[in-house]
Amino acid sequence: MERGPAVFAAGVFLLFGAALLVWTGARAGRRAPVAEGVRPAVAVPLALLAGTGSLALGVWCLQRF
């Protein structure tokens, strides 16, 4: 019974993390702002940390069931 929600949560975390990392890389590669009104020296590492954390949570959810 708990397998469905775990797989769904893992999919959401993995999709969000991958999309955030791709989007951040594309924006940083073009030297475009990653977050409105935030210096790139702060925004890029925080976005990378959030994307990596989301991927880690997705993997953790998959390992739990």
Side-chain angles (χ1 to χ4, degrees), residues 5-23 50-65:
V7 171
F8 177 75
V12 169
F13 280 127
L14 291 172
L15 184 62
F16 175 75
L20 183 60
L21 290 176
V22 168
W23 183 81
T52 305
S54 183
L55 287 177
L57 278 172
V59 170
W60 179 77
C61 285
L62 286 176
Q63 290 177 346
R64 294 293 293 173
F65 78 91

Side-chain angles (χ1 to χ4, degrees), residues 1-45:
M1 205 60 168
E2 295 177 3
R3 237 181 193 169
V7 171
F8 177 75
V12 169
F13 280 127
L14 291 172
L15 184 62
F16 175 75
L20 183 60
L21 290 176
V22 168
W23 183 81
T24 302
R27 297 292 288 181
R30 284 190 253 145
R31 298 197 187 277
V34 174
E36 181 100 20
V38 181
R39 291 180 299 144
V42 175
V44 172

